[in-house]
Amino acid sequence: IRPHLPFVAPKKYWDLYDRSKIPFSPSMKLPHDVSTASFHNSGEFNSYLSGDEHPTLAAPVSEAYARKITHAYYASVSYTDAQIGKLLQALNDYGLEESTIVILWGDHGWHLGDHRVWGKHTLSERALKSPLIIRAPGMKIRGKTSDAIVSSVDIYPTLMDLCKVPMPYETDGATFIRLMENPGSKSFVQPAYSFYNNGITMRTDRYRITHYFRKEQLVTELYDHKNDPNENFNIAADDERRVRQLLRKWKKGDTGLYGDDKVRGR
């Protein structure tokens, strides 16, 4: 269950970190030019009544408590890392390392006070960017990372490809085995779509564009990850041409889940 709330881990994992050196979020305030409806008051976090402070969008936690909670999160992640290490060691001990594909996959990210949120449940990069690490037999390149955009739906076809099994169904996912062979490859180019809070977001290699089906304004957000990787500035109103261009691709992810809206061009 770790590193899910509540953040509990053995003391030795807490002792790995000096709390005074733990950095604060680079996004302590709400993004410029957005509606508070895009965020929330950390309800899941605040449901743990023994917490020292209970943050909201209007009343963020103190710096000392922000460091304490971030410290707890780090300890929980390190505790999880140790368990993964035990699993990998067991595979090695039983001679299964070269016949086993291992995928470490998280279902979401987590706000550590980013935009005054503690938790998930937003369409922001912090909540949507999840861990994805793969180790497979015969991999020539190990320990490398890729900046390519992949989605959870790409895991299934990638597994089938690694096992050399034909795909029995057509899916929206695509194998990214070529990224495992060449992490710097630019040949895997596709956006990632996410859905939550009456909104649909699309992440490309440079931009995140989000459109909400709601009454609260503003309903469209555009972030340039080249110049603003922490999504502090919604530039939708400043770059309408880019918004129109990206919305054409965004519509592919619009399945009609949230009802009619003029953004669909109907």
Side-chain angles (χ1 to χ4, degrees), residues 35-54:
S35 169
T36 55
S38 298
F39 300 96
H40 58 78
N41 286 309
S42 306
E44 182 182 16
F45 178 85
N46 288 328
S47 69
Y48 292 84
L49 302 181
S50 60
D52 298 342
E53 300 179 25
H54 297 90

Side-chain angles (χ1 to χ4, degrees), residues 59-187:
V61 298
S62 66
E63 291 187 354
Y65 196 55
R67 274 207 168 99
K68 180 179 181 179
I69 297 303
T70 304
H71 188 177
Y73 183 84
Y74 284 11
S76 297
V77 171
S78 292
Y79 178 44
T80 303
D81 285 346
Q83 310 320 304
I84 295 166
K86 291 179 180 180
L87 173 63
L88 296 178
Q89 184 61 52
L91 289 174
N92 184 62
D93 293 345
Y94 285 95
L96 299 172
E97 181 178 0
E98 291 306 319
S99 60
T100 305
I101 298 169
V102 179
I103 298 182
L104 173 65
W105 166 41
D107 57 336
H108 55 77
W110 220 80
H111 288 275
L112 290 168
D114 314 291
H115 308 314
R116 299 188 174 180
V117 172
W118 295 86
K120 48 189 177 182
H121 299 140
T122 75
L123 289 181
S124 301
E125 184 83 0
R126 294 292 186 187
L128 296 174
K129 186 177 181 180
S130 59
L132 178 58
I133 305 174
I134 299 181
R135 192 189 75 178
M139 285 181 64
K140 296 180 180 179
I141 299 177
R142 298 196 177 200
K144 301 294 183 181
T145 61
S146 173
D147 292 328
I149 303 299
V150 299
S151 302
S152 300
V153 293
D154 298 327
I155 295 175
Y156 171 38
T158 301
L159 269 174
M160 300 295 279
D161 198 3
L162 287 169
C163 294
K164 296 180 170 38
V165 176
M167 281 285 289
Y169 308 105
E170 181 179 353
T171 72
D172 289 331
T175 174
F176 52 76
I177 193 170
R178 57 186 179 273
L179 291 175
M180 298 170 63
E181 297 169 343
N182 178 14
S185 173
K186 302 299 182 183
S187 61

